[in-house]
Amino acid sequence: MGQPLIDLRNITKSFDGTMVLDDLNLSVKENAFVTLLGPSGCGKTTTLRIIGGFESPDKGQVIFDGQDITSLPPNKRQLNTVFQKYALFNHMSISENIAFGLKIKNKPKAYIKDKIKYALRLVNLDGFENRTVSSLSGGQQQRIAIARAIVNEPRVLLLDEPLGALDLKLRQDMQYELIRLKNELGITFIYVTHDQEEALTMSDTIVVMNQGYIQQMGSPENIYNEPENAFVADFIGESNIVPGIMVRDELVEIFHAKFVCVDKGFGIHKPVDVVIRPEDIDLVAPEEGTLTGIVTHLIFKGVHYEMEVTTPDGFEWLVHSTDMFPVGQEVGIHVNPFDIQIMNKPASEDEEAVGINE
Amino acid sequence: MSKKILSGPYIMWMIGFILIPLALIVYYGLTDRSGAFTLANVLSVTSPEHAKALWLSLGLSFISTVLCLILAYPLAMVLRSRGMGQGSFIVFIFILPMWMNFLLRTLAWQTLLEKNGVINGILTALHLPNQNLINTSGAIILGMVYNFLPFMVLPIYNVLMKIDDNVISAARDLGANSVQVLFRILFPLSIPGIVSGITMVFVPALTTFVISNLLGGSKILLIGNVIEQEFTKGSNWNLGSGLSLVLMIFILISMALIAKYDKNGEGTAF
C-alpha cells in the first residue's frame, strides 16, 4: 500500500515561453480524493491534463502504478476524465454516450447494456437511456459525463472543475453526490477546482497551487488551520494577515500589543507574519481586549455579522461574529492562543510576489 | 405597426423581382404559345436531347460535388487544427479569388486549356504531344470544382470550428484512436456543414451555363445551356420555363435536405 498510484516527478511545462509548471512533484495514493486548488493560471488544469495524457511535460516523468506512462497517449491510459463543460457527444443518445468507451473496447452487447443501466442508477438518472443530450439540464449532463467515464472502470477519475458551470445549490448537492460516488466506487479521484469551499468539503488531501508551484499540501483541516504562507492563508478562506515580531516562544507582538500563542521555534525578536481568521477574533469590552479599535464597518451576512475594526495604527481587522457592535463603538480585540497562526516571512521579495499579488 | 412599415421596401422588392417573375415562369412553363394550359413544356424534358443534357448536368454536378467534398474536408480539418489566427488567414487566402469576377476566372481557365493555350504551349516547349483539354467534360468539371470549392470548404470549416476540443479529448480519453475519433465524432458532428456544402456546390453546378459555354464549347450541352438557348436564340420562352420548373424540383429537393440535416443553420457558410 505504501507505493503511490500516481507519481509526478520533476514535471516542467511551459507554453510559448511562459512557465506553467516548474519542477512539480506530486504523489497520489490509491483510493485518495486529492484536490488541486488554486487561482486560474496556477497550473492545476495543466497538471491534470498531463496526468490524463492531453499534454506532455517538457521535462519529468508521469509514473502510474510503477510504470512510466509519460509518452502514452490518453486512449492507452487506465484513467478517465470528466471535463468542465461535460463534452458530451451531441449526436448520440444518452446510452450511446455512456457506451462509447465500451464499444471502442469491443465489449459484448449484453455487458454494455448492463453497464449502462448500472451507471445510470449510480448517478440517479434511471431510465434516461434514450434521451437526447440537449434535453438534459446542466446538472444532468454532468452526471452523464461522470457515468460515461466510470463505466470504463478506471482506476483514477480525473475531474476538471466539473461543477464550475452549475448554480450554487446544485453545486452543493453534487458535492455530496461525488463523495458518495467516490465511496461506492472505491477508486482514486483527482479533482481540480478554484473553489476553496468545494475543496474543503470533499477532499482528503488538498494541494494548493500558485504560479506553477505547490504552495502547501495536506488535509483540509491542516490547510485551513495551519497555512504555511500568506498565499495559502489568503486563498483558503478570509483572513487577517498582519506583520508581527516573535518576542520569544509562545509570545508574539502585534502593533505593540503582546499576544500569547502556541507556536515555538521561530527564534527571538524575529519578524513574522501572523494569520488570524475573522471568526477567531472575539470582540470584548475595550478594557478586556489585548488591542482596542473602533468599529468602522458593519454588514449583516445572514449567519453572522461582518465587521471591520480599525486599530490606532490604521490596520482594518476583518471580524465575523454573531454579536453585533454598531459602527463607531470602541471595542477590544481578544484572540485565543491556539487561534493565532505564525508564519515565517517570505525569504525574498520574489517569493512574496508569488504569495500575495493574486 | 411602425415596424411593419420598415419592411415595406423589402416586401415591394420581393414581390416585384422575385414573386412576379417566379409566377411568370410558372405561367409560361405551363402554357403554350397561344396561352392554353399544357404540360408539354415540362414533359419535353423526356425528349432524348433534353434528357441527355439533364443527365449530363446531373452527372457532372455530382462528380464535381464529390471532388469538392474530397478536397474540402481534409483542408477544413487542417484549418481547424491550426490556431484561430493562422486558420482564418488561410481561409482568407482561399476566399481571395472569389473577389475576382466569376466570368474572368473561368475565361482564365479557357486561356490555360485552349488548343494553343498556355498549357499546350508549355507541352510544346517540352516537346510533349499536345493535349485536347478544352471542350471536354473534364474541363467543365475542373471549372465547376475551381469555382465552387470555397462554398464547400467554408460550411465544413465552420462546423468543425464549432466542435469543442474537449469533445475530441473526451473521445480520446474513452479509448478512441485518431481514426475512430474521425469517423465516430468529427464526421457525424460535421454532417450539417457537409450537407450545406453539397447543396451550395450542387445547385449552382446543376444550373450553370457559363462554365459549360466557356469550357465546354458548343459540343457539350448542359441543361442550363438548353434553357439559356430557348430564351435567347430559340425564343421559345414556354419551353425554357418548363425546363426551369423541372430544374427547380431538383433544387427544392436539395433545400429540403438542408432543412432536414441543418436545423439550426449551423452550416451556413458566411
Side-chain angles (χ1 to χ4, degrees):
Chain A
M1 206 61 225
Q3 189 193 15
L5 182 60
I6 292 176
D7 207 2
L8 300 181
R9 292 183 190 161
N10 310 101
I11 300 286
T12 301
K13 176 78 183 171
S14 55
F15 291 110
D16 301 325
T18 310
M19 188 69 87
V20 180
L21 295 175
D22 194 359
D23 199 27
L24 180 115
N25 288 285
L26 176 66
S27 290
V28 177
K29 284 208 182 74
E30 179 125 40
N31 212 4
F33 195 136
V34 176
T35 298
L36 307 180
L37 175 67
S40 56
C42 73
K44 57 190 192 298
T45 296
T46 305
T47 307
L48 196 77
R49 290 177 66 81
I50 285 174
I51 300 172
F54 303 110
E55 306 282 356
S56 52
D58 300 337
K59 262 186 255 164
Q61 288 176 300
V62 182
I63 310 291
F64 183 88
D65 202 15
Q67 281 180 321
D68 187 345
I69 60 162
T70 315
S71 53
L72 215 58
N75 50 329
K76 301 258 158 70
R77 299 190 180 196
Q78 281 185 329
L79 29 83
N80 287 109
T81 310
V82 175
F83 293 88
Q84 185 174 9
K85 285 180 191 137
Y86 327 135
L88 293 178
F89 308 132
N90 286 321
H91 58 297
M92 298 181 188
S93 72
I94 294 306
S95 56
E96 283 169 329
N97 263 283
I98 299 175
F100 187 84
L102 299 173
K103 276 187 190 155
I104 294 276
K105 289 176 199 96
N106 285 321
K107 299 282 186 200
K109 269 209 172 83
Y111 174 83
I112 294 178
K113 213 177 153 199
D114 283 351
K115 270 287 184 188
I116 294 172
K117 232 179 149 65
Y118 162 76
L120 282 175
R121 193 174 317 127
L122 207 60
V123 297
N124 286 331
L125 289 176
D126 276 312
F128 272 60
E129 278 90 343
N130 296 318
R131 296 278 289 267
T132 59
V133 173
S134 55
S135 73
L136 302 191
S137 69
Q140 289 170 332
Q141 291 194 26
Q142 192 54 274
R143 286 158 192 255
I144 297 302
I146 293 166
R148 182 180 67 176
I150 59 180
V151 286
N152 302 289
E153 298 176 359
R155 293 184 64 186
V156 179
L157 192 64
L158 308 177
L159 301 107
D160 184 7
E161 305 213 22
L163 310 184
L166 305 179
D167 61 57
L168 181 68
K169 183 77 181 66
L170 199 53
R171 206 155 64 216
Q172 287 168 342
D173 290 345
M174 282 300 285
Q175 288 174 12
Y176 297 116
E177 286 278 303
L178 282 170
I179 297 169
R180 178 183 63 81
L181 264 177
K182 158 96 183 51
N183 293 335
E184 278 185 39
L185 293 168
I187 59 174
T188 310
F189 274 34
I190 301 180
Y191 192 96
V192 161
T193 185
H194 62 266
D195 182 334
Q196 42 107 359
E197 192 209 307
E198 218 167 88
L200 293 170
T201 309
M202 296 195 291
S203 354
D204 42 52
T205 306
I206 294 178
V207 181
V208 184
M209 292 179 71
N210 190 33
Q211 305 205 340
Y213 296 95
I214 293 179
Q215 303 286 329
Q216 189 174 352
M217 188 169 163
S219 69
E221 291 89 345
N222 176 258
I223 297 268
Y224 188 85
N225 292 328
E226 276 154 59
E228 271 171 24
N229 59 35
F231 174 79
V232 176
D234 200 39
F235 194 75
I236 310 284
E238 291 172 293
S239 53
N240 297 291
I241 303 171
V242 289
I245 292 167
M246 207 67 192
V247 180
R248 54 175 163 79
D249 279 355
E250 299 182 12
L251 192 67
V252 62
E253 186 183 306
I254 304 166
F255 301 135
H256 311 295
K258 292 192 171 60
F259 285 82
V260 178
C261 60
V262 293
D263 298 74
K264 296 177 209 173
F266 284 86
I268 290 171
H269 292 291
K270 178 93 192 302
V272 289
D273 278 332
V274 183
V275 177
I276 301 172
R277 296 285 180 193
E279 67 271 24
D280 290 337
I281 294 178
D282 299 324
L283 293 183
V284 291
E287 60 277 10
E288 290 171 31
T290 322
L291 269 170
T292 55
I294 310 263
V295 178
T296 48
H297 212 80
L298 170 72
I299 300 171
F300 177 59
K301 285 281 201 178
V303 181
H304 57 79
Y305 292 94
E306 183 177 294
M307 285 166 279
E308 260 169 35
V309 175
T310 309
T311 40
D313 43 81
F315 188 84
E316 290 169 345
W317 296 80
L318 186 69
V319 182
H320 290 171
S321 171
T322 49
D323 300 325
M324 195 267 276
F325 293 85
V327 173
Q329 180 165 337
E330 195 182 10
V331 291
I333 288 176
H334 174 259
V335 187
N336 284 325
F338 47 84
D339 288 332
I340 296 175
Q341 166 70 15
I342 309 287
M343 303 179 304
N344 276 314
K345 277 233 180 258
S348 66
E349 278 186 30
D350 221 27
E351 201 180 317
E352 187 162 35
V354 169
I356 303 174
N357 295 342
E358 262 303 322
Chain B
M1 192 59 211
S2 61
K3 278 184 187 163
K4 278 188 183 164
I5 289 172
L6 286 178
S7 64
Y10 176 69
I11 289 175
M12 296 300 286
W13 175 276
M14 215 171 76
I15 292 171
F17 296 104
I18 300 174
L19 286 183
I20 293 177
L22 206 62
L24 283 175
I25 289 196
V26 174
Y27 169 75
Y28 277 112
L30 297 176
T31 54
D32 61 17
R33 275 169 199 263
S34 63
F37 175 80
T38 175
L39 282 175
N41 298 318
V42 175
L43 293 176
S44 79
V45 77
T46 53
S47 78
E49 190 194 342
H50 291 163
K52 190 184 156 205
L54 181 62
W55 282 119
L56 188 63
S57 291
L58 285 170
L60 294 188
S61 310
F62 177 77
I63 294 170
S64 304
T65 309
V66 170
L67 283 177
C68 280
L69 183 59
I70 292 172
L71 291 172
Y73 203 88
L75 176 67
M77 290 272 293
V78 171
L79 292 182
R80 185 193 189 281
S81 66
R82 296 294 165 118
M84 199 59 197
Q86 223 182 348
S88 45
F89 179 71
I90 299 175
V91 168
F92 170 74
I93 296 278
F94 216 78
I95 300 175
L96 209 54
M98 288 169 75
W99 293 0
M100 244 187 318
N101 186 284
F102 166 75
L103 215 62
L104 215 64
R105 278 180 284 147
T106 313
L107 273 171
W109 273 112
Q110 198 179 31
T111 321
L112 287 171
L113 299 175
E114 266 169 350
K115 240 186 175 62
N116 302 312
V118 175
I119 293 175
N120 274 331
I122 294 170
L123 288 176
T124 310
L126 295 171
H127 302 289
L128 292 167
N130 275 17
Q131 298 293 318
N132 185 22
L133 300 167
I134 196 100
N135 300 348
T136 59
S137 297
I140 295 179
I141 291 174
L142 178 72
M144 288 177 172
V145 171
Y146 175 76
N147 277 309
F148 302 136
L149 185 58
F151 296 104
M152 183 70 90
V153 175
L154 288 175
I156 295 178
Y157 170 71
N158 275 352
V159 283
L160 284 180
M161 283 307 285
K162 278 184 198 148
I163 298 174
D164 184 1
D165 281 333
N166 277 336
V167 169
I168 295 164
S169 295
R172 299 276 291 155
D173 184 73
L174 293 165
N177 58 35
S178 309
V179 178
Q180 286 164 326
V181 168
L182 177 63
F183 284 102
R184 296 190 187 204
I185 305 295
L186 286 176
F187 212 68
L189 282 175
S190 51
I191 280 177
I194 293 172
V195 172
S196 179
I198 286 176
T199 321
M200 292 181 70
V201 172
F202 187 73
V203 170
L206 186 61
T207 53
T208 186
F209 58 87
V210 174
I211 294 175
S212 42
N213 260 354
L214 295 177
L215 302 177
S218 54
K219 278 188 207 162
I220 301 175
L221 274 188
L222 297 188
I223 191 73
N225 301 90
V226 173
I227 294 171
E228 184 221 358
Q229 283 172 12
E230 291 304 335
F231 275 96
T232 56
K233 292 176 192 143
S235 298
N236 189 348
W237 287 23
N238 304 89
L239 184 55
S241 301
L243 293 176
S244 294
L245 289 178
V246 176
L247 262 194
M248 212 184 291
I249 291 170
F250 284 96
I251 292 165
L252 287 176
I253 292 173
S254 311
M255 294 299 179
L257 278 180
I258 281 203
K260 183 163 187 282
Y261 287 104
D262 189 12
K263 291 188 185 87
N264 309 321
E266 282 176 49
T268 330
F270 299 105

